[in-house]
Amino acid sequence: MKHGVAFRKFSRSTSHRMLMLRNLVTSLFEHEQIKTTLPKARDTARLAEKIITLGKKGDRSAHARASAFLLKPEVLPKLFGTFASRYAERSGGYTRIHKFGNRPGDNAPVAILELVDNPKDLRWEITSRAIGREVLQEKLRAEKPLNLIKTGVHSTQNIIESEKKLEFGQNGLLRPKTRWNLQKMLRFRNQDAVSQLSRNVGNYIDHLMATPIAMKTLHDRERRKTAAGEFALRAGQTAPGDPRSVLDLSQGRLGIQRPRPTGPVLSASYIFGRKTKGR
C-alpha cells in the first residue's frame, strides 16, 4: 500500500532530492526568475511559498528555519526585507509558472518559474502588450494610420484606470480576459503601477506603428541593393531561372556555370529503347 508516498522522487535519493530543491529555491530568491523542467518547477514553487511565509513572519524561529533551508546566507535579507514587504497583503500565491515548450534532446517539458511582481515579471509584459494591441485596434477603427502616427495615442492611462474599475460582466474597450489580467496585476501594486503600465502600453503601441514603416524602409533598401548587384549569392541560394546544379550551388561563389549538355541524356529508357529499335 502507498502510505506516505507523495510528491515526486526525480529518480534521486531523499538527500539528493532535497538538496536539489533547496538549490532551486535559493536560485529563485536570488534571481526571482529561473528556467527548469515543469515537474521541478512545481515542487520548487511549493517549497518557495512556505519559505516566503516564514519571511513574512519575521520572528527568530522563522529566521532560523529559513537560514537552515537556504544555501546562501546573502539571500536572507532579501527574504525578510524585500519579499516580506512586497507580499505583505497577499495571503498566498507568491510564485507563477509559465510553460516554455519542450527541451531539445530529451523533449522534457520546460517552464519558467518566477516570483509574482518581480522587476522582470513576464505576466506584466504580456498584459501590457495585449492592452497596447487592443487599444491600437480600437483607435484604428476611428482614425487613419497616418493620423495616429503623427499624433500618437495619449489616452492609455485613462483607459487603464477606467478598465480597472469595471466589474465582471460589464463591457469595456478591452477583452474580458485582458481586463481580468489587468485587474489581477494591479490589485496588490501601488499607485505608480498604473502610470508605469501606461508607459509600457504606449511604448508597445509606438513599436507596433513604427514596425511597418521600418520594415518597408528595409525592404526598399534591400531591393535597391539587390537591383544594383551589391549582394552576391551565398552557398545554396539561386536566382530565378538559374540552370546550375546542386553541386554548383553548394560551392557558392566558387561555383562555375557549366554549359548544359545539348545531346540526349543517357538514361535507362533511352539506352534500352535504342537497343530495341536497333534489333
Side-chain angles (χ1 to χ4, degrees):
M1 301 179 68
K2 294 182 62 176
H3 290 298
V5 180
F7 309 114
R8 300 169 181 86
K9 306 303 179 184
F10 298 112
S11 299
R12 291 169 171 85
S13 61
T14 304
S15 58
H16 188 187
R17 181 173 63 252
M18 288 305 302
L19 184 61
M20 179 192 68
L21 294 176
R22 288 171 59 193
N23 189 16
L24 288 173
V25 173
T26 305
S27 300
L28 177 63
F29 289 168
E30 183 180 4
H31 304 286
E32 302 190 26
Q33 189 179 94
I34 60 174
K35 179 181 177 182
T36 181
T37 58
L38 184 59
K40 291 179 183 177
R42 287 171 176 169
D43 277 25
T44 304
R46 177 180 61 86
L47 294 176
E49 300 264 348
K50 297 182 178 180
I51 302 302
I52 293 177
T53 304
L54 294 178
K56 291 174 62 176
K57 291 181 178 179
D59 54 1
R60 180 174 297 181
S61 175
H63 193 280
R65 293 176 60 187
S67 61
F69 185 86
L70 298 176
L71 300 180
K72 292 184 178 181
E74 54 268 21
V75 184
L76 291 174
K78 195 174 184 180
L79 173 63
F80 289 92
T82 305
F83 298 160
S85 60
R86 180 191 298 175
Y87 306 123
E89 299 181 1
R90 289 180 180 266
S91 58
Y94 314 119
T95 58
R96 183 185 295 120
I97 296 177
H98 300 275
K99 293 184 179 180
F100 200 66
N102 295 341
R103 184 170 58 189
D106 58 354
N107 204 34
V110 182
I112 295 178
L113 176 62
E114 65 176 0
L115 296 177
V116 176
D117 297 342
N118 71 86
K120 299 181 295 184
D121 195 347
L122 289 178
R123 179 63 62 83
W124 178 271
E125 295 295 332
I126 293 172
T127 306
S128 61
R129 293 189 178 190
I131 295 172
R133 184 171 57 252
E134 295 177 13
V135 169
L136 182 59
Q137 290 177 354
E138 189 67 23
K139 293 292 183 181
L140 288 175
R141 295 178 181 176
E143 301 183 28
K144 296 182 178 180
L146 293 178
N147 296 335
L148 284 178
I149 293 175
K150 294 179 181 179
T151 59
V153 181
H154 304 287
S155 58
T156 55
Q157 186 169 355
N158 297 332
I159 294 174
I160 292 174
E161 291 178 352
S162 61
E163 293 289 335
K164 181 183 177 182
K165 300 177 182 178
L166 292 179
E167 299 292 339
F168 179 78
Q170 295 181 352
N171 295 327
L173 188 143
L174 303 178
R175 296 185 300 116
K177 187 66 174 181
T178 307
R179 187 185 310 114
W180 182 77
N181 288 331
L182 167 66
Q183 295 174 354
K184 189 176 180 180
M185 283 194 317
L186 298 178
R187 181 179 178 184
F188 296 103
R189 289 180 179 258
N190 51 18
Q191 298 296 330
D192 298 335
V194 176
S195 59
Q196 182 181 358
L197 182 62
S198 176
R199 288 193 298 268
N200 291 357
V201 170
N203 293 336
Y204 188 67
I205 290 176
D206 295 339
H207 170 73
L208 288 177
M209 291 190 296
T211 299
I213 300 176
M215 292 302 296
K216 185 178 183 302
T217 304
L218 292 176
H219 178 68
D220 295 341
R221 187 183 304 171
E222 294 293 331
R223 285 182 58 187
R224 289 194 297 268
K225 290 183 178 180
T226 305
E230 297 182 8
F231 286 110
L233 295 176
R234 297 181 179 179
Q237 294 181 346
T238 178
D242 194 350
R244 289 183 295 173
S245 63
V246 178
L247 180 60
D248 294 336
L249 292 176
S250 63
Q251 294 174 355
R253 294 183 179 180
L254 301 178
I256 303 174
Q257 294 189 5
R258 303 169 182 172
R260 300 177 67 88
T262 55
V265 180
L266 296 180
S267 60
S269 59
Y270 176 79
I271 295 175
F272 291 127
R274 188 175 179 179
K275 288 182 178 179
T276 304
K277 290 181 181 180
R279 291 179 181 176

